[in-house]
Amino acid sequence: MHFTRALAIAVSSILFLTYSVHAQESSSPTPDENSETAKPSMTLERLNTLITKIDPDAERSEGGNAWQFTVDATQVTVVSDETHDRMRIVTPIAKSESLSPDLMRRILQANF
C-alpha cells in the first residue's frame, strides 16, 4: 500500500510540476488574456505528449480528454478539462475492504 501511495504522489508531482512550469512560462499577460478566446496554459495535446513520455502505450479516450496508462504496474487515469485548464489524476492507493468506514468517508470527502 505504501509503494502505491508513493507512486501516486510521484506521478501527480511529475504532472503537476510540469503543468506548473508550463503555466509559469506562459503567465506573461497578453492583450487578449482576459478575453473569452484566450487559450488555456495546458492543452490536451501537450498533456498527451507528457503522458506518452511516461507510458508510450497510454490509451487516450475517444473525446481526447482522458487517458489510462500504467506506471510500475499501477493503473493511472488522468481526466482533463481544457476549457477550465484543470486535470485530475486517479490511481488506486488501497483495497477498499482494508479501509475503516471513517477513513473511507474521509477519502470520499477529500475527492469532492
Side-chain angles (χ1 to χ4, degrees):
M1 180 167 90
H2 297 295
F3 174 76
T4 304
R5 183 172 176 212
L7 177 64
I9 292 169
V11 170
S12 298
S13 298
I14 290 167
L15 290 173
F16 177 78
L17 289 174
T18 305
Y19 192 85
S20 296
V21 168
H22 180 73
Q24 287 175 357
E25 289 173 353
S26 63
S27 65
S28 303
T30 58
D32 66 338
E33 188 171 283
N34 293 324
S35 75
E36 296 270 332
T37 60
K39 291 185 89 174
S41 60
M42 177 60 77
T43 66
L44 295 175
E45 290 310 313
R46 174 78 175 126
L47 192 53
N48 187 62
T49 299
L50 296 171
I51 290 170
T52 55
K53 283 183 180 181
I54 294 169
D55 181 359
D57 297 323
E59 294 180 20
R60 191 171 180 182
S61 70
E62 194 172 304
N65 68 328
W67 295 260
Q68 287 192 338
F69 56 102
T70 304
V71 178
D72 292 334
T74 300
Q75 185 70 33
V76 179
T77 300
V78 174
V79 180
S80 179
D81 180 346
E82 187 174 34
T83 303
H84 296 99
D85 204 19
R86 303 263 189 252
M87 73 171 176
R88 179 162 289 196
I89 300 171
V90 182
T91 190
I93 58 169
K95 293 185 183 268
S96 59
E97 56 269 4
S98 69
L99 302 175
S100 70
D102 287 339
L103 184 55
M104 179 65 87
R105 184 172 42 258
R106 293 297 295 155
I107 290 171
L108 292 171
Q109 287 172 339
N111 196 38
F112 296 99

